[in-house]
Amino acid sequence: MTTTSAGPHVHGLGEPYKRKEDARFIRGKGNYVDDIQLPGMLYADIVRSPYAHALIKSIDISKALQVPGVVAVITGKDLEAAGLAWMPTLSGDSEAVLAVDRVLYQMQEVAFVVAESRYAAADGAAAVEVDYDPLPVVVDPHKALAPDAPLLRPDKKDRQPTNQIYHWETGDRAATDAAFAEAEQNGVVVRQDMYVPRIHPAPIETCGCVADYNAATGKLTVWMTSQAPHAHRTLFAIVSGLPEHRIRVISPDVGGGFGNKVPIYPGYVCAVVAALKTGRPVKWIEDRTENLTSTGFARDYHIHAEIAADKEGTVKALRVYTLADHGAFDAAAQPTKFPAGLFHICTGSYDFKHAHVAVDAVHTNKAPGGIAYRCSFRVTEASYLIERMMDTLAREVGKDPAEIRLQNFIKPEAFPYRSALGWTYDSGNYERALRLAMEKIGYEELRREQAEKRARGELMGIGISSFTEIVGAGPGKHFDIAGIQMFDSCEIRVHPTGKVLARIGVQTQGQGHETTFAQIIAAELGISPDDVDVEHGDTDTAPYGLGTYASRSTPVGGAATAVAARKIRDKARKIAAYLLEVGEEDLEWEPGRFYVRGSPSKGKTIQEIAFAAYTNCPPYLEPGLEAVNYYDPPNLTYPFGSYICVVDIDRGTGEVHIRRFLAVDDCGTVINPMIVEGQIHGGLTQGLAPALYEQLAYDEDGNVLGSNFQDYLIPTAMETPRWETARTVTPSPHHPIGAKGVGESPTVGAPQAIANAVVDALAHVGVRHIDIPITPWKVWAILKEKGLAT
Ligand code: PCD
């Protein structure tokens, strides 16, 4: 393309354009669910079970109804009468909306109290009397499989006679076993048990909604903290029987989602029921403890992994067995086809010829979930296991962890690469990313320093994680949410004066879509992002989309946006040809303008063309300038990176100090480098969290031990190191602008870099593994055992 003039500067791809949405956020002008105030609105509170497992003998609401201000109390029996006591989960299980005859985990929803004020609702909830008969509690998933374990889900005993939800396996078992037999004879086999603990996304804004039913119009409007408003509307319609076009879900500003706001929770359903029953709007907002203890948890995978390799450490086969604790209801968020999500991406960045993965999932007396917390459906668990295992293999064959990775990476020329477990990786250059990370951090020098320190008795460790992610589901034929295919959409309207309204099917929770999607359009149409408003989250106006999770907005919604913009450009070309009285083939495009080839001064700007679309449109075209695209991607995208972490361990306290952490990421074409860097900083902090701090633990009676931010430790600015970042760019060959997702990469990649660094610091005394979170107590116990504690 010949460019004839500088043209307007359009802030398209690759520009650190300031986030448009921040103008309202930093002024405190965001509009969150709890900001919604409607006339006559009621407030709700939920009565929750103190027991992890019990029969409900009776529920007495009479005293609650006498509490001043209380308007109604809804119990499971009321819902049962309306056919709403149970709702489907995202995994096809059925979950109690309000418990009818038994509770299965502590903090389970038992009754819903609505009142004139939030305080009256709480007083009303406290006055509900529930008579429980406690039952034996199962917290250990291994014990859940024992023949004498109490059956936790008698409601589905016909189709599921034990506590086992499913057994799932994939890969070639025979070939994998054969490779292991061979390695036992002539090579090496390494094995490790590891636990990826139950954690919680804990967004700043908890979950909540406002439900408003207009009896005159028959229209139900629900403002809710939803990452997937359209899918939620469809599920509401199916479950309630209300006509879908009379349901409007509005997801206003969302204060962090992280996967927590993908499922439908009982509170939403109860608020809708209460709005229908009372004829008044009902607001329900969780408190922090309710959020941590009852909404979707993540991880909770007990993993046994094995690698077969030759004596040089060249990998041959991977074998994984996992026991997945799903809690009382299987409410894992994942495509129907894959019960363990995308866990079988666990061969990672390495060229395994054979692999086999088996997963058993069980019920326990814990909150339901298994959601994709900043992770594309179990990719975090997969990446953790393979990166820990590669370090274990390196120790076994006496090689440096960097060397073992470089030796086993999938080579750049092997892409598109088909993994032993059936994924087709779109593009990658793993060696380049690791070499850049090593160079930037001064890897050789750090190893020298470590050796010196070790000689002096100081404990320093270096950990690497060379992860591969898999994000951007569809294609729709393989990926769905509750049966709805995973495509996404964009609708663009160019107004007569050249200003643009774009509506997208994905829903932002803080990622900056109002900016980056405007930048995609800017790049395609040459219109400044300031002239492009991006809307989302209102099912009455936005085109149907599957929502934002699994870093799919850019890979899928971003692609839809680029394709819709190209449709606009195609029509603009026709209009320009008409206006300039030349053939379409005689036109050249430069950002913002078509001009006649050979006569650069003869041209029409996109704004002039837009005006003509409404005022002087060619008679053979429809007037107006709009386009819609529903995009079903041909494949997922496979972002990757290499992270290196340097830690020092305090021999007196067992405390791990992260001295440096360098993240090299590759997400293909970068739309907005500043936003991407922000995504990486946030994501790394959420990767640090499970590595050193977070765990939702339970005692033997099923009491949640991490029900508030004093016991559930999320890292603050004090604990967070100064992140260093760098990048390589390997575009996705199938994405219209070459972009891959990035939002989840750092959370997926970081924990094992930290764990590997801590184990590396202690490897010389024989330590091979420490389960995360690596607390000072765990480290100190090891120091003591090894005689290193001071
Ligand atoms: N980008 C750029 N470039 C590229 C890529 C990307 O620029 N290449 C950018 C975009 O556009 C946006 C961001 O960045 O803005 C991100 O992206 P992505 O990756 O595509 O993603 P999304 O879809 O958008 O999002 C999602 C994610 C997730 S998934 C999560 S968790 C998280 C992240 O995101 N979350 C959040 N991040 C964030 N941030 C914030 N602020 N908040 C939140 O919440 Mo899941 O599954 O749900 O669990």
Side-chain angles (χ1 to χ4, degrees), residues 697-716:
Y698 286 75
D699 72 9
E700 277 182 4
D701 298 322
N703 296 307
V704 194
L705 301 179
S707 62
N708 56 63
F709 284 158
Q710 263 178 322
D711 299 323
Y712 187 75
L713 302 180
I714 62 168
T716 68

Side-chain angles (χ1 to χ4, degrees), residues 160-174:
Q160 190 186 294
T162 68
N163 291 323
Q164 178 158 0
I165 307 167
Y166 66 76
H167 171 83
W168 178 76
E169 54 180 81
T170 187
D172 188 336
R173 183 194 283 267

Side-chain angles (χ1 to χ4, degrees), residues 26 36 89 147 188-189 203 272 296 306 329 334 360-361 386 416 422 487 553 560 583 774:
I26 60 176
I36 308 287
T89 69
V188 294
V189 172
V272 170
E306 305 176 342
F329 304 102
Q334 89 256 314
D360 284 322
I386 188 62
F487 56 84
S553 301
I774 303 178

Side-chain angles (χ1 to χ4, degrees), residues 137-152:
V137 173
V138 183
V139 278
D140 180 342
H142 302 93
K143 291 190 183 149
L145 287 176
D148 60 343
L151 181 64
L152 302 185

Side-chain angles (χ1 to χ4, degrees), residues 153-362:
R153 295 291 303 278
D155 59 291
K156 56 174 183 178
K157 65 173 180 306
D158 295 342
R159 59 193 159 104
Q160 190 186 294
T162 68
N163 291 323
Q164 178 158 0
I165 307 167
Y166 66 76
H167 171 83
W168 178 76
E169 54 180 81
T170 187
D172 188 336
R173 183 194 283 267
T176 304
D177 289 350
F180 271 89
E182 160 68 18
E184 296 280 8
Q185 294 297 315
N186 303 313
V188 294
V189 172
V190 286
R191 304 188 159 82
Q192 187 61 55
D193 284 317
M194 47 191 116
Y195 176 49
V196 183
R198 181 176 272 244
I199 55 173
H200 197 281
I204 292 177
E205 180 202 36
T206 59
C207 299
C209 70
V210 176
D212 183 25
Y213 181 70
N214 183 328
T217 60
K219 183 129 189 175
L220 171 71
T221 306
V222 190
W223 288 262
M224 62 189 275
T225 52
S226 169
Q227 292 181 234
H230 281 99
H232 285 168
R233 185 193 61 187
T234 301
L235 293 175
F236 273 136
I238 291 171
V239 172
S240 68
L242 293 170
E244 192 167 4
H245 65 305
R246 297 266 163 73
I247 304 175
R248 179 180 188 185
V249 173
I250 303 174
S251 199
D253 288 327
V254 174
F258 310 115
N260 191 214
K261 293 167 181 171
V262 176
I264 292 185
Y265 295 116
Y268 301 145
V269 180
C270 291
V272 170
V273 172
L276 289 167
K277 187 179 158 115
T278 61
R280 291 168 66 178
V282 175
K283 179 185 276 188
W284 166 70
I285 307 283
E286 284 174 342
D287 66 22
R288 179 59 57 194
T289 295
E290 293 179 294
N291 180 254
L292 282 172
T293 56
S294 72
T295 63
F297 73 89
R299 327 293 190 236
D300 220 343
Y301 262 30
H302 298 258
I303 300 170
H304 176 80
E306 305 176 342
I307 289 181
D310 68 16
K311 288 211 168 69
E312 263 53 69
T314 298
V315 299
K316 301 292 176 197
L318 175 71
R319 194 158 57 189
V320 179
Y321 173 73
T322 289
L323 185 59
D325 185 344
H326 282 225
F329 304 102
D330 181 9
Q334 89 256 314
T336 312
K337 236 185 170 178
F338 305 112
L342 313 189
F343 186 57
H344 47 310
I345 191 71
C346 58
T347 52
S349 309
Y350 311 100
D351 192 11
F352 282 91
K353 296 293 175 243
H354 309 288
H356 184 257
V357 173
V359 181
D360 284 322
V362 297

Side-chain angles (χ1 to χ4, degrees), residues 227 256-259 372-375 509-513 516-517 548-555 667 669-672 675-676 679 739-744:
Q227 292 181 234
F258 310 115
Y373 168 18
R374 214 159 184 171
C375 151
Q509 308 114 42
Q511 294 86 344
H513 292 175
T516 51
F517 282 69
T548 292
Y549 41 83
S551 290
R552 63 186 297 282
S553 301
T554 306
C667 58
T669 308
V670 172
I671 302 164
N672 185 321
I675 286 183
V676 166
Q679 287 290 308
K740 303 181 178 188
V742 75
E744 295 169 322

